[in-house]
């Protein structure tokens, strides 16, 4: 099976079986999504969704968050992973939004990555969901699943992102990110993946290798 055939079959299966796929992080605007994605690093979306309602009530926009007291904000996010560093990054991010972007979330990946605490994955998520950027965010789930399926042999997230970007059409890259991440979260799990129940096993390089 060629790489092109693998991509075509997997994409077609997702189109047929997962016509809708969205972020599980609860948000109502780009600012809220940016904050939620920053909090989600090495943390579950479920935990983040438990934290953000009170956070957004206390700090509804960049101007409010930029003026936040570190200890007050820390108390709101203390249950997520690395709460101290995330508190520092959130305040610094909001301050830069206010000083450099008029309090508005910038639209490009490059501009988003100038914000403190915002790496390429976070920037890609925000840019693709809200501004239609044809990019794919590669987190631990996307990295693992892409390599298992045989969509990429990349040894780091940058290489995997390049392979996915090269082989997935622009118009479906945003939803493809959600297809892969949700598949990794609920089917192709890190430990004990549900291979026999997986609709992709026919084209999965990892499954075929283990079941020769």
């Amino acid at each position: 099976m060629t790489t092109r055939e693998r991509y075509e079959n997997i994409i077609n299966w997702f189109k047929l079986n997962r016509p809708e796929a969205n972020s599980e992080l609860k948000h109502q605007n780009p600012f809220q999504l940016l904050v939620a994605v920053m909090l989600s690093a090495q943390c579950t979306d479920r935990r983040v969704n438990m934290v953000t309602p009170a956070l957004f009530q206390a700090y509804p926009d960049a101007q409010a968050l930029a003026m936040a007291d570190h200890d007050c904000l820390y108390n709101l996010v203390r249950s997520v992973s690395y709460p101290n560093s995330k508190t520092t990054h959130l305040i610094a991010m909001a301050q830069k939004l206010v000083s450099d972007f008029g309090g508005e979330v910038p639209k490009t990946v490059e501009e988003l990555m100038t914000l403190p605490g915002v790496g390429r994955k976070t920037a890609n998520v925000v840019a693709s969901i809200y501004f239609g950027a044809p990019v794919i965010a590669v987190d631990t789930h996307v990295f693992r699943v892409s390599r298992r399926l045989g969509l990429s042999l990349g040894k780091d997230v940058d290489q995997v992102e390049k392979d996915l970007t090269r082989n997935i059409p622009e118009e479906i890259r945003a939803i493809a990110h959600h297809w892969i991440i949700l598949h990794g979260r609920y089917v192709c799990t890190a430990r004990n993946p549900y291979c026999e129940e997986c609709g992709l096993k026919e084209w999965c390089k990892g499954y075929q290798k283990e079941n020769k």
Side-chain angles (χ1 to χ4, degrees):
M1 181 185 305
T2 66
T3 298
R4 176 176 293 183
E5 290 172 336
R6 193 184 309 279
Y7 269 92
E8 288 179 350
N9 284 307
I10 289 174
I11 288 172
N12 287 336
W13 185 90
F14 277 126
K15 285 182 176 179
L16 180 63
N17 294 277
R18 302 289 187 270
E20 294 186 8
N22 301 289
S23 173
E24 294 186 318
L25 291 170
K26 296 179 181 179
H27 59 277
Q28 295 182 343
N29 54 55
F31 171 73
Q32 289 187 358
L33 178 62
L34 176 56
V35 170
V37 177
M38 290 177 67
L39 288 173
S40 72
Q42 300 184 43
C43 186
T44 65
D45 287 1
R46 181 181 179 184
R47 170 57 56 184
V48 173
N49 288 336
M50 294 171 66
V51 166
T52 50
L55 190 158
F56 294 148
Q57 183 175 9
Y59 308 105
D61 52 34
Q63 288 80 1
L65 186 58
M67 298 177 65
D69 174 78
H70 186 281
D71 291 342
C72 291
L73 179 57
Y74 175 87
N75 284 332
L76 290 174
V77 303
R78 63 189 305 169
S79 64
V80 304
S81 58
Y82 307 106
N84 189 60
S85 61
K86 288 180 180 179
T87 297
T88 300
H89 285 150
L90 285 174
I91 294 174
M93 176 274 292
Q95 290 172 343
K96 190 170 181 66
L97 278 184
V98 172
S99 65
D100 292 13
F101 300 101
E104 299 297 322
V105 176
K107 296 182 178 181
T108 70
V109 170
E110 291 72 23
E111 288 176 317
L112 282 162
M113 288 179 64
T114 67
L115 301 172
V118 176
R120 188 168 187 84
K121 185 211 77 172
T122 297
N124 281 353
V125 170
V126 176
S128 65
I129 291 177
Y130 269 102
F131 306 118
V135 295
I136 295 181
V138 178
D139 66 357
T140 55
H141 292 300
V142 175
F143 181 78
R144 179 183 72 253
V145 174
S146 297
R147 285 167 50 84
R148 276 185 180 172
L149 289 174
L151 299 178
S152 174
L153 298 177
K155 296 182 179 180
D156 57 44
V157 295
D158 291 336
Q159 291 177 350
V160 171
E161 181 183 339
K162 288 177 181 178
D163 288 338
L164 296 177
T165 301
R166 182 169 58 251
N167 289 284
I168 297 177
E170 285 189 12
E171 65 274 13
I172 63 169
R173 285 175 192 164
I175 193 172
H177 161 72
H178 296 303
W179 283 338
I180 299 172
I181 193 173
L182 294 174
H183 193 71
R185 190 170 291 166
Y186 298 111
V187 181
C188 192
T189 52
R191 297 182 180 181
N192 302 316
Y194 301 98
C195 293
E196 293 304 324
E197 302 172 22
C198 178
L200 300 177
K201 62 179 179 289
E202 180 179 352
W203 311 290
C204 176
K205 190 171 184 177
Y207 179 83
Q208 297 301 326
K209 182 178 180 181
E210 294 178 4
N211 292 272
K212 285 184 177 180

